[in-house]
């Protein structure tokens, strides 16, 4: 477990703490995403749709796993920062790679979706939450789905860390990542195309980050402890 009580700006670049600098990616991503949202004119956005989208009904209850994404993602950041620094690094490499490629795609081929219902089939507290969320979150820059990328990143990170390598844990994290991904199409935040393209990008990035980069290395807590002792 890393003792962050000794973390200061003066020692942020030391071997013990410099992995924290990887979190600066989120600041850069937030700025770039906001810029892309505002700079690209509406006229050049390409609507994403496939026949499967019309077969998927709106279901407000999928908004629960959709929002759980935030807990899922932040929770894995905190766990890895505290207990598995090497896995945290690979987690951030995966996120930087997939999100970086996605931002390039957004710049080259801006996309939007026009799947949101004009009126909800039911009136309850969940549909009201969804309506408020629609006002907050735009329906632009959707393919590949960042929501799906983040969910799969957490699942792969869980597979990479020693605590969650048992089959039951691996299955649970993967099932939750799939549920979060599927929730995006049921709350009409994404097309099935957005989800499938995100999964394809994740598959390629998984091989690169988790099969090629750490080749021949020990993973998880054990490796970090050995490096610390040395």
């Amino acid at each position: 477990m890393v003792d962050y009580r000794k973390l200061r700006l003066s020692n942020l670049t030391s071997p013990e703490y410099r992995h924290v600098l990887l979190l600066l990616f989120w600041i850069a991503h937030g700025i770039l995403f906001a810029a892309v949202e505002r700079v690209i004119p509406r006229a050049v956005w390409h609507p994403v749709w496939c026949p499967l989208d019309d077969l998927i009904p709106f279901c407000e209850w999928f908004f629960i796993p959709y929002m759980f994404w935030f807990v899922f993602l932040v929770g894995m950041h905190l766990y890895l920062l505290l207990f598995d620094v090497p896995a945290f690094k690979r987690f951030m490499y995966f996120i930087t790679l997939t999100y970086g490629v996605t931002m390039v795609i957004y710049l080259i081929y801006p996309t939007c979706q026009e799947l949101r219902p004009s009126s909800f089939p039911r009136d309850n507290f969940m549909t009201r939450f969804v309506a408020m969320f629609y006002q907050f979150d735009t329906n632009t820059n959707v393919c590949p789905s960042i929501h799906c990328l983040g969910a799969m990143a957490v699942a792969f990170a869980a597979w990479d860390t020693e605590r969650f390598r048992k089959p039951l844990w691996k299955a649970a994290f993967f099932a939750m990542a799939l549920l979060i991904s599927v929730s995006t199409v049921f709350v009409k935040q994404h097309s099935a195309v957005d989800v499938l393209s995100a999964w394809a990008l994740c598959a390629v990035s998984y091989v690169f980050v988790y099969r090629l980069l750490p080749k021949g290395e020990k993973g998880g807590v054990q490796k970090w402890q050995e490096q610390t002792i040395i």
Side-chain angles (χ1 to χ4, degrees):
M1 185 173 181
V2 182
D3 185 2
Y4 289 101
R5 291 175 297 180
K6 300 178 182 178
L7 176 61
R8 302 289 187 275
L9 285 176
S10 58
N11 62 7
L12 187 58
T13 58
S14 66
E16 186 178 4
Y17 297 121
R18 62 189 174 196
H19 60 277
V20 176
L21 293 173
L22 292 172
L23 292 174
L24 292 176
F25 162 79
W26 288 112
I27 298 176
H29 171 73
I31 294 173
L32 182 58
F33 186 84
V36 171
E37 286 274 287
R38 288 163 175 77
V39 170
I40 297 178
R42 178 82 186 187
V44 302
W45 285 333
H46 304 270
V48 180
W49 172 87
C50 71
L52 180 58
D53 296 327
D54 292 340
L55 299 177
I56 299 174
F58 170 83
C59 181
E60 65 272 23
W61 298 106
F62 276 93
F63 192 61
I64 296 174
Y66 182 88
M67 294 301 294
F68 184 74
W69 177 84
F70 295 96
V71 177
F72 203 49
L73 191 62
V74 173
M76 184 55 72
H77 275 81
L78 293 176
Y79 176 81
L80 296 179
L81 274 170
L82 289 173
F83 300 109
D84 200 333
V85 171
F88 170 77
K89 293 178 181 179
R90 289 187 287 272
F91 175 56
M92 289 304 303
Y93 296 156
F94 182 89
I95 288 177
T96 302
L97 175 60
T98 55
Y99 278 51
V101 170
T102 298
M103 290 307 301
V104 172
I105 294 173
Y106 289 171
L107 287 168
I108 297 174
Y109 188 74
T111 53
C112 65
Q113 56 90 356
E114 299 172 346
L115 303 171
R116 293 177 175 179
S118 55
S119 61
F120 295 112
R122 293 163 294 276
D123 180 20
N124 54 47
F125 72 96
M126 287 303 299
T127 56
R128 293 169 199 155
F129 273 122
V130 175
M132 288 188 293
F133 192 78
Y134 281 175
Q135 295 178 359
F136 169 77
D137 192 18
T138 66
N139 61 339
T140 55
N141 293 323
V142 294
C143 186
S145 166
I146 285 180
H147 220 73
C148 297
L149 295 177
M152 296 307 300
V154 173
F156 294 149
W159 293 4
D160 186 46
T161 190
E162 292 182 1
R163 175 181 286 274
F164 302 122
R165 280 183 184 163
K166 292 183 179 180
L168 185 59
W169 276 115
K170 292 177 70 172
F173 273 93
F174 190 67
M176 179 53 67
L178 290 182
L179 178 60
I180 291 173
S181 297
V182 169
S183 73
T184 65
V185 297
F186 278 95
V187 296
K188 299 303 178 179
Q189 282 290 92
H190 283 285
S191 162
V193 177
D194 306 336
V195 176
L196 294 176
S197 60
W199 286 348
L201 177 56
C202 284
V204 174
S205 300
Y206 176 82
V207 173
F208 184 75
V209 174
Y210 288 104
R211 288 293 179 261
L212 298 181
L213 288 186
K215 189 175 182 180
E217 297 182 357
K218 293 181 180 179
V221 178
Q222 180 181 359
K223 178 188 171 187
W224 179 80
Q225 289 175 338
E226 291 177 359
Q227 288 177 337
T228 304
I229 292 174
I230 292 173

